[in-house]
Amino acid sequence: MTADPDPAVGSPLESGAIDLSQIAGPFDLQATVESGQSYLWDRADGRMYESMDVHSGDAWYRTVVPPIDGVTDEHVAVRIRQRDGRLEWEATADPVPLLTHLLRLDDDLDAIYDAAPDDDLIERAFDAYRGMRLVRDPPFPCLISFICSAQMRVARIHGMQTALAREFGGEYRLGSETLDAFPEPAQLAARSEAELRDLKLGYRAPYVQRTAEMVADGEAHPAEAAGRSYEAAREYLTQFVGVGEKVADCVLLFSLDYLEAVPLDTWIRTAIAEHFPDCDRGNYAETSRAIRARLGGEYAGYVQTYLFYYLRARAE
């Protein structure tokens, strides 16, 4: 353990590793953070989201994690890589609890695989990206990320979030690097629509500004959806400007522990049309219920994420 003399950190630089043989099931860091679930990580080599068919790599990834209830009460700058059966880390505080939280290292992935329906397409997706886990992103950054996702390629979505952090978030030192934190709600709410449009948010700019304002003013918070029944939680999230049912499902799945959520994006609708046509019920709510049941119910969101990544990769 070595001390970082830069006062911007306020904490010593710590390092360590998680032995991945001690978690339940396999783990693939690259597939997890570069599969279109999260836009809050960045690669030190600048090659984040160059492809939608990556797995098993050993690149360094980095982020600044905001305070998360029950996990950390401070911002933590962290970088990680997977190598030789270990998840190596460097951080401004012990990141093991928050990495366990963010990367769902507490999931029993083998049990989730076993619970999935017996289906050839699902098996191919599982085999292609074995070890990919869902993420558990902080609710507000996750919400903003998916508001920005409409009609956008993953690299562009990631670029928007990186720009928001660079222009409006705080800076944190991690060794010789300076990392940009995703803006707090009040920081984004204070920006004008024109400033957000300058970052290429386009028509999404007023949605981001107004949603940030709602959270900053205490009008609503995405975390307050948690604990409700699944469909009530989805309905709660749609009060945010720019959030429809699909974006709400993304936040439920990739932030709020609703592992049954199945966002009905283009790729999953393609899978429904070609492989599960009986699940197409003509509207979002009924199709959602049908495909959730077809993909196994409790862990349908896990199956959906594998199918999304598998189908996207093969379309490139």
Side-chain angles (χ1 to χ4, degrees):
M1 188 180 299
T2 59
D4 187 333
D6 193 314
V9 174
S11 300
L13 179 65
E14 302 183 24
S15 62
I18 298 171
D19 181 355
L20 295 173
S21 69
Q22 301 303 304
I23 69 173
F27 177 70
D28 188 314
L29 174 63
Q30 184 173 30
T32 298
V33 298
E34 289 201 61
S35 51
Q37 306 180 57
S38 176
Y39 301 96
L40 306 178
W41 293 88
D42 194 20
R43 279 177 61 157
D45 61 8
R47 300 181 63 186
M48 191 78 177
Y49 281 124
E50 276 191 353
S51 170
M52 273 300 286
D53 186 18
V54 295
H55 55 92
S56 307
D58 61 359
W60 281 102
Y61 295 89
R62 56 197 181 182
T63 193
V64 179
V65 186
I68 300 173
D69 287 346
V71 183
T72 178
D73 58 4
E74 61 181 328
H75 281 82
V76 178
V78 58
R79 56 176 168 241
I80 56 176
R81 70 174 172 183
Q82 183 174 353
R83 192 172 65 165
D84 299 329
R86 306 194 317 160
L87 187 61
E88 300 175 356
W89 55 262
E90 296 177 343
T92 54
D94 176 12
V96 173
L98 67 88
L99 290 174
T100 300
H101 177 87
L102 293 172
L103 303 174
R104 303 195 68 98
L105 302 181
D106 46 352
D107 284 349
D108 185 341
L109 198 54
D110 284 334
I112 290 169
Y113 290 152
D114 290 343
D118 184 10
D119 179 273
D120 181 61
L121 177 64
I122 294 170
E123 284 299 321
R124 293 200 305 272
F126 282 167
D127 289 343
Y129 302 110
R130 191 156 293 271
M132 182 175 72
R133 293 174 180 247
L134 292 182
V135 298
R136 194 189 273 125
D137 273 349
F140 177 71
C142 182
L143 176 65
I144 297 299
S145 295
F146 283 100
I147 288 175
C148 291
S149 70
Q151 300 178 330
M152 278 288 164
R153 294 178 61 85
V154 291
R156 288 284 306 279
I157 304 165
H158 179 256
M160 289 178 184
Q161 309 322 301
T162 300
L164 289 172
R166 181 183 66 246
E167 296 299 322
F168 307 134
E171 292 185 345
Y172 292 81
R173 293 284 294 171
L174 181 61
S176 61
E177 293 184 294
T178 299
L179 305 187
D180 300 311
F182 194 84
E184 298 292 325
Q187 291 175 306
L188 266 188
R191 314 322 302 189
S192 68
E193 179 181 333
E195 288 176 298
L196 296 176
R197 286 185 181 273
D198 284 344
L199 299 185
K200 311 300 183 187
L201 268 66
Y203 70 85
R204 304 158 195 82
Y207 303 163
V208 168
Q209 197 279 334
R210 177 61 185 128
T211 287
E213 198 171 61
M214 291 174 69
V215 178
D217 291 348
E219 184 177 339
H221 196 290
E224 293 175 3
R228 301 167 188 253
S229 68
Y230 163 65
E231 293 194 0
R234 187 171 65 191
E235 178 64 24
Y236 176 88
L237 291 174
T238 61
Q239 72 182 293
F240 293 103
V241 182
V243 177
E245 292 171 305
K246 181 260 183 179
V247 168
D249 270 335
C250 289
V251 177
L252 293 177
L253 181 59
F254 301 132
S255 180
L256 298 179
D257 285 316
Y258 288 82
L259 301 187
E260 71 270 41
V262 175
L264 298 183
D265 59 21
T266 300
W267 302 100
I268 297 307
R269 289 187 181 276
T270 297
I272 290 171
E274 296 181 0
H275 300 278
F276 316 112
D278 58 312
C279 293
D280 186 353
R281 303 298 170 85
N283 63 71
Y284 193 103
E286 294 301 323
T287 300
S288 172
R289 291 190 189 102
I291 193 62
R292 291 200 315 270
R294 181 65 182 83
L295 297 184
E298 182 181 4
Y299 300 119
Y302 248 107
V303 177
Q304 175 271 343
T305 303
Y306 274 85
L307 291 178
F308 167 85
Y309 197 32
Y310 182 80
L311 293 170
R312 282 290 301 257
R314 273 132 196 86
E316 285 198 336

